[in-house]
Amino acid sequence: MVGQNRFAIANDGFTPADTSETPFILFRNPAGSGKLIRFIEMLTSNISSTDRLRFYRSPTITAVGSVINVNKIRPSGTITSIAQVYLNPTVSNVGFLVSTYIEGITGVSMVQRLLNELRFIEPGNDLLITTTQASAHIVNISAEWSEDSATV
């Protein structure tokens, strides 16, 4: 059925403790899931012109943080997401940098361009998003993705 394999998250806001690079969101595709997470879009809000988001693959996680609920795009859908999403994880190593996003204006922005580089998370892999700010303030992010067979 249409939309059965599509999911989304939205966090209620995160304020880093300071202005240093801070782990923000962790997306995890569990080993053995048999599914490929494919991002459709990501939206950030309350980002200032000096904020920076960095995207890392293969971080070393020491504590996953707080669970962010994954929602079905189609509420009547019968498929449950395999994705695990967390706010404010603790890491011992951020992994390898895939991309950096620097907001040029204050407000709402689409991180669509980055999705070309970050489009997929394969089973057993993680994607870590960090934030660096000139002055600590709330940052929001929402994302939509689909989950399809990893053998496609």
Side-chain angles (χ1 to χ4, degrees), residues 128-141:
L128 175 68
I129 303 172
T130 66
T131 181
T132 306
Q133 303 175 341
S135 61
H137 60 274
I138 291 175
V139 176
N140 301 299
I141 195 165

Side-chain angles (χ1 to χ4, degrees), residues 11-60:
N11 78 307
D12 290 331
F14 171 68
T15 305
D18 57 42
T19 57
S20 63
E21 184 176 19
T22 305
F24 174 30
I25 301 279
L26 172 66
F27 285 93
R28 176 166 277 178
N29 186 345
S33 71
K35 300 286 184 177
L36 185 68
I37 295 173
R38 181 180 63 87
F39 286 103
I40 297 165
E41 73 175 17
M42 226 177 253
L43 176 72
T44 60
S45 63
N46 204 35
I47 300 288
S48 78
S49 60
T50 56
D51 290 352
R52 180 174 310 202
L53 296 175
R54 288 189 176 102
F55 296 78
Y56 295 92
R57 292 217 185 267
S58 304
T60 304

Side-chain angles (χ1 to χ4, degrees), residues 7 10 32 37 44 53 55 61 73 80 85 93 96 100 102 106 110 115-116 124-125 130 133 139 149:
F7 304 93
I37 295 173
T44 60
L53 296 175
F55 296 78
I61 308 299
I73 294 294
T80 301
V85 188
N93 184 316
F96 65 90
T100 299
I102 302 171
T106 300
M110 296 289 288
L115 293 180
N116 292 329
N125 287 283
T130 66
Q133 303 175 341
V139 176
S149 172

